[in-house]
Amino acid sequence: MEEDTMVQESLVLYGFWRSIASFRVRVALRLKGLSWEERPVNLMQGAQFTPDFDSVNPAHTLPVLQGPGFSHAQSLAILEFLEERWPDPALLPRDPDSRARARRLCLLTVADAHPLITPRVRHHLARNFAATEPQIAEWARHFLAEGARSYEALLAAEPPSPFINGATPGLADICLASHTVACGLFSLALDPWPTLNRLATACMALPAFADAHPFRQPDAPPASG
Amino acid sequence: MEEDTMVQESLVLYGFWRSIASFRVRVALRLKGLSWEERPVNLMQGAQFTPDFDSVNPAHTLPVLQGPGFSHAQSLAILEFLEERWPDPALLPRDPDSRARARRLCLLTVADAHPLITPRVRHHLARNFAATEPQIAEWARHFLAEGARSYEALLAAEPPSPFINGATPGLADICLASHTVACGLFSLALDPWPTLNRLATACMALPAFADAHPFRQPDAPPASG
């Protein structure tokens, strides 16, 4: 790869320690061997709504990855971008059917479970339905358990391999691991879903995943973890 | 294309008239010039939870596209699959930055707005927070308006072209149009977002989009539209 012999272009990631979408991008950057500077945006204090961040992403979401001449948002769009721009090592299989399967597994959390547990939704529940903290946590666990059940149903019958992607992790593994990180944030144990648990454990044993965990981020409060 | 000179392989789409994710896949199939048989699964009556459908998609979501040797779910994964398997006409731009932008615009609704207004979420609000029908409709309009605002903020400053994708529509246009179809289902007028409105109107003027609309589906109740 041409990039390997050049000084890497500088990359900036706007993220937040607790954001599992930021987790996904951090893992992919590490698996691609890229370095980046991370700029924390405190989602829980509403920093995504300040004029400064509005100019970074007027949709007010994290993560945002910036580099020379580009500024991309939405974790799955960024993962696909990293895959196209830095193809080695490959994080998606080659044939269209296997790629569709990998993306389907990504979207189980990116499009089904994760959107339901974001701060804006939790705040909206509190504001509009007077939901208490325990009720909001229960809401999150309900939809995370639904997602976990779907992962298990889709993956349990497959021949065991270290990762969904095969011998090395790929985008589907990254998204699956992010789902289990969210389960951890809401104290949902993975015991009912042994295949999910096994795959997530294999991922989190790798430094690229472990170092991306919310509790390992510099902006995480000291009491985390 | 080799496919153009062959008898097209048979495709089956499990969908539902009201499902905007099914809408997205119908449009892409039409833009690719493919024909398919649609099998309705009544999401509002819980048909996605029957044993018959469990064997089609154990994650219990629509749409599912099946063909010889494949069964794919998640609308965005299916759109990407159609693009890879039948590349003409192209529904994504060629360079990684433009593709990342298109996918970001897809995910504004696929990963941000749409997941919040699905039947399972509306049922959960009713069951767990005793939400009334008007409150649930207000919930949907809130998150659809947030999505519409994001589309407007990202697209208003761009030079006007008939479609996001350029002279012809692409995946970002399909997803944007699906967002506005959802707005229509919840009686949210598009006037506050003129760029979104203009792009959606251009899409819905095309038969591929118009024929995919919920109210045009055979399984829609007669009073719809």
Side-chain angles (χ1 to χ4, degrees), chain B residues 58-194:
Chain B
H60 306 146
T61 58
L62 294 177
V64 174
L65 184 72
Q66 294 187 337
F70 68 81
S71 180
H72 298 315
Q74 292 287 346
S75 66
L76 188 57
I78 296 172
L79 298 185
E80 298 264 8
F81 169 75
L82 293 174
E83 178 71 355
E84 294 181 352
R85 182 72 180 68
W86 290 276
D88 286 325
L91 302 182
L92 277 174
R94 294 192 77 118
D95 71 284
D97 284 311
S98 303
R99 293 165 75 84
R101 172 174 167 273
R103 289 184 174 120
R104 171 191 193 170
L105 292 165
C106 288
L107 288 159
L108 275 191
T109 198
V110 170
D112 283 356
H114 179 204
L116 298 168
I117 64 161
T118 53
R120 69 190 177 113
V121 173
R122 304 196 323 260
H123 292 159
H124 199 69
L125 281 170
R127 214 165 33 232
N128 289 59
F129 294 100
T132 62
E133 273 305 316
Q135 283 177 315
I136 291 170
E138 200 46 58
W139 162 283
R141 279 192 289 272
H142 171 82
F143 288 111
L144 288 168
E146 267 198 1
R149 199 203 59 75
S150 294
Y151 273 117
E152 190 69 23
L154 286 168
L155 294 167
E158 309 235 335
S161 67
F163 301 98
I164 300 171
N165 197 47
T168 55
L171 298 192
D173 299 283
I174 293 172
C175 293
L176 176 146
S178 78
H179 189 79
T180 65
V181 167
C183 292
L185 293 176
F186 288 95
S187 306
L188 181 67
L190 300 181
D191 313 71
W193 310 289

Side-chain angles (χ1 to χ4, degrees), chain A residues 49-170:
Chain A
F49 299 113
T50 58
D52 271 2
F53 190 72
D54 190 71
S55 65
V56 174
N57 182 8
H60 306 145
T61 58
L62 292 178
V64 175
L65 184 72
Q66 294 188 336
F70 70 81
S71 180
H72 298 315
Q74 292 286 346
S75 65
L76 188 58
I78 296 172
L79 297 186
E80 298 264 7
F81 169 75
L82 293 174
E83 179 69 357
E84 294 181 352
R85 180 76 179 66
W86 289 277
D88 285 324
L91 301 182
L92 277 174
R94 294 193 78 119
D95 72 286
D97 284 310
S98 302
R99 293 163 75 85
R101 173 175 167 271
R103 290 183 174 120
R104 170 192 194 170
L105 291 165
C106 288
L107 288 158
L108 276 190
T109 198
V110 170
D112 283 356
H114 180 202
L116 298 168
I117 64 161
T118 54
R120 71 191 177 109
V121 173
R122 301 191 332 257
H123 292 158
H124 199 70
L125 281 171
R127 213 165 34 233
N128 290 59
F129 294 99
T132 61
E133 273 304 315
Q135 283 178 315
I136 292 170
E138 201 45 57
W139 163 283
R141 278 192 291 270
H142 171 82
F143 289 110
L144 288 168
E146 268 198 0
R149 199 203 59 76
S150 293
Y151 274 117
E152 190 69 22
L154 286 167
L155 294 167
E158 310 235 336
S161 67
F163 301 99
I164 300 172
N165 197 47
T168 56

Side-chain angles (χ1 to χ4, degrees), chain A residues 31-49:
Chain A
L31 291 175
K32 294 289 188 186
L34 298 165
S35 60
W36 71 97
E37 177 205 336
E38 188 151 339
R39 298 200 186 145
V41 179
N42 193 322
L43 289 186
M44 292 167 95
Q45 292 177 1
Q48 70 274 36
F49 299 113

